[in-house]
Amino acid sequence: MKNKILILSFSLIVIFYKSQSASAYSYFGIGVMDNVDNARNLSLGGTGLALDSESNINFKNPATNVEFMSGIAILDVGGVVKYNTTTSSGTKDKRFLSNYNNLGIGFRITPKMFFTASLQPTSTSDYKISSTAPIEGTTLQYPVYLEGSGGIANVAVGLSYKILKDFSLGLKLRNNFGSITRTENIAVGSSTLTDVKVIKNEYYTGFGSQFGFFYKKTLKDNLSSISIGGTFDFKTKLTGEGTLKETHNADSETIKDVKYTIGDTYLPKEYGIGASYLHKNKWMATVDFQNKNWEGLQYGSTYEKYYNQQIYSLGLEILPQKRNYTSISDGFVYRLGANYDTGYYKISAIKIDKFEASAGLGIPLKNGFMLNVGYSYGVRGMSSAIIKENYHSINLSLNFVNRWFQKTYYQ
């Protein structure tokens, strides 16, 4: 049974890993740094810094996974299907895409320690942009077509340890790795000059770390609780190298083929704080704040200026009123959420911010399965941006809860 679950999980990853963000803004830096997680957290507005559960792993804060029973293992696999509309100068581009959001596993090591491992996107890049460039010495311009694909992922391991009855600490170690391909097609349109194609393949790798804390106080009725959680991520250095190949399209003649070292590239230092309130096991409200210190960071391939980023998130989860139910609908979990992201760079002096609203459903299935389904609608580039993006996305994650490490007894 466990082998079948693993095969299903990796099959879903292959299905979702067809394309990336499909955002024109993924041209900048190392791609779009969107919030990625399982469908439960995304349906709750992307919150999770103070969010715990007995049936869902929380990969946002490593300190929160302290409620699972001994011998329980949880496998989580998820992805997103998105319909993206880009509007610029009166023209629209509409695209469907898919990508994975998370592949993770977690289990208890000791009565006070819980272990997790995960694979998640760090950034994604997928764009097609038409532009023009001036011909030197003239007033004429020639078209330039820019394309990009790829992204950076991270594989991570995390530990949560219960220091006191109500307080735990967490540590997560990540290895970021991946590549981004940038292609420029220059259509000069001259009888003496041929079209030119420039292809850059850039490869990145670098280790990062995250610390977290989680405090949960059960109230007198034993059905309500207040939780506070927070995380801190150190600035992460990415080591990069690339290859550049320039060819004339007419005769496929290679006129340049070189390797180069990419200058210092960093993921920002960041911190976050969150709180949640559980009311009599009926509903839970959660709120998060995150600050990412992008100011002063630069990237060698693109040269926009970066600013500190703030993300404000909130969510509401309505829990089933019956612990033992005869129909699946009695066990549904309902979720609502929203978040506002200030953005971290400006284009033509305009900050590229984003707003997203979400809703979701947790559906209990047989044999320890939980299907989490979420819908999100978002707008990127709200403040009169040159390029505005509207998207609809469906987030899916499948949880499998099973008892491992148990001895089998025969009569």
Side-chain angles (χ1 to χ4, degrees):
M1 179 64 181
K2 295 169 187 174
N3 290 335
K4 291 181 180 179
I5 298 303
L6 291 174
I7 292 172
L8 172 62
S9 300
F10 283 108
S11 298
L12 288 173
I13 289 297
V14 171
I15 291 171
F16 282 120
Y17 200 66
K18 288 183 177 179
S19 61
Q20 304 292 327
S21 65
S23 170
Y25 291 112
S26 66
Y27 164 80
F28 300 104
I30 54 174
V32 171
M33 311 284 290
D34 274 340
N35 186 24
V36 295
D37 216 317
N38 58 33
R40 182 205 183 200
N41 291 39
L42 294 175
S43 297
L44 292 171
T47 59
L49 296 176
L51 195 61
D52 68 332
S53 171
E54 295 180 358
S55 58
N56 294 274
I57 307 174
N58 184 9
F59 296 98
K60 202 172 186 72
N61 182 352
T64 59
N65 299 302
V66 292
E67 299 298 322
F68 297 101
M69 295 181 292
S70 178
I72 290 292
I74 297 184
L75 180 67
D76 182 295
V77 57
V80 59
V81 178
K82 183 181 290 187
Y83 177 67
N84 193 85
T85 301
T86 302
T87 305
S88 177
S89 301
T91 62
K92 290 186 177 182
D93 177 63
K94 300 180 179 181
R95 299 177 64 186
F96 277 102
L97 59 136
S98 59
N99 194 14
Y100 82 99
N101 270 341
N102 184 75
L103 173 63
I105 191 171
F107 53 85
R108 185 171 296 283
I109 300 175
T110 71
K112 292 186 177 183
M113 184 178 294
F114 193 85
F115 171 84
T116 60
S118 64
L119 173 67
Q120 293 180 321
T122 300
S123 70
T124 58
S125 181
D126 184 18
Y127 58 86
K128 292 184 179 180
I129 301 173
S130 298
S131 185
T132 59
I135 299 177
E136 188 174 352
T138 74
T139 59
L140 302 176
Q141 293 189 329
Y142 57 85
V144 178
Y145 303 97
L146 307 174
E147 295 184 24
S149 62
I152 298 174
N154 72 81
V155 59
V157 293
L159 287 175
S160 55
Y161 187 80
K162 182 170 283 192
I163 304 293
L164 302 171
K165 177 183 177 182
D166 301 324
F167 185 75
S168 63
L169 295 176
L171 170 66
K172 181 184 288 186
L173 300 176
R174 301 188 186 97
N175 179 32
N176 299 278
F177 63 94
S179 63
I180 296 174
T181 299
R182 304 177 186 273
T183 303
E184 296 183 24
N185 286 287
I186 304 172
V188 178
S190 169
S191 59
T192 59
L193 294 176
T194 59
D195 292 353
V196 175
K197 175 181 282 189
V198 180
I199 301 176
K200 291 183 179 180
N201 289 303
E202 299 180 341
Y203 307 89
Y204 297 89
T205 183
F207 284 92
S209 59
Q210 179 188 64
F211 291 91
F213 75 89
F214 179 65
Y215 172 80
K216 181 178 181 179
K217 180 64 176 178
T218 302
L219 303 183
K220 292 182 179 181
D221 61 6
N222 290 322
L223 298 175
S224 305
S225 63
I226 297 175
S227 301
I228 299 174
T231 57
F232 179 84
D233 294 62
F234 286 100
K235 184 167 69 172
T236 299
K237 182 178 180 179
L238 300 179
T239 301
E241 58 183 25
T243 61
L244 183 150
K245 187 174 182 179
E246 184 175 331
T247 61
H248 285 168
N249 293 344
D251 52 15
S252 298
E253 177 188 0
T254 299
I255 59 178
K256 185 181 291 186
D257 192 352
V258 298
K259 294 182 178 180
Y260 60 93
T261 300
I262 301 172
D264 290 345
T265 303
Y266 292 93
L267 299 178
K269 177 178 67 176
E270 59 183 271
Y271 65 86
I273 187 74
S276 66
Y277 170 66
L278 173 65
H279 181 73
K280 296 184 178 180
N281 282 335
K282 293 182 178 180
W283 56 266
M284 180 174 61
T286 180
V287 59
D288 282 3
F289 168 78
Q290 290 177 275
N291 182 84
K292 301 186 179 185
N293 190 14
W294 290 92
E295 195 148 335
L297 300 187
Q298 292 183 343
Y299 294 95
S301 297
T302 56
Y303 299 94
E304 60 283 351
K305 188 174 182 180
Y306 287 81
Y307 300 85
N308 289 348
Q309 175 186 22
Q310 292 81 40
I311 303 174
Y312 307 87
S313 311
L314 53 88
L316 175 67
E317 187 171 58
I318 301 174
L319 303 170
Q321 301 306 300
K322 299 179 181 179
R323 289 294 179 177
N324 298 313
Y325 42 84
T326 56
S327 65
I328 291 179
S329 60
D330 289 338
F332 281 179
V333 181
Y334 302 91
R335 302 174 180 125
L336 294 171
N339 66 73
Y340 174 72
D341 183 342
T342 65
Y344 52 96
Y345 52 81
K346 292 182 179 180
I347 307 299
S348 299
I350 299 173
K351 213 165 191 178
I352 309 303
D353 55 356
K354 185 184 75 168
F355 175 80
E356 183 178 272
S358 56
L361 191 65
I363 305 172
L365 305 176
K366 294 181 179 180
N367 301 320
F369 283 95
M370 169 70 81
L371 176 63
N372 294 306
V373 182
Y375 164 79
S376 300
Y377 172 74
V379 180
R380 190 194 307 272
M382 299 175 60
S383 305
S384 303
I386 298 174
I387 300 175
K388 179 170 288 189
E389 296 176 354
N390 300 72
Y391 60 86
H392 304 265
S393 63
I394 301 295
N395 296 287
L396 302 171
S397 67
L398 185 66
N399 284 7
F400 174 65
V401 183
N402 197 12
R403 287 191 175 274
W404 290 9
F405 318 113
Q406 300 292 310
K407 293 182 179 180
T408 301
Y409 295 93
Y410 298 93
Q411 294 182 347

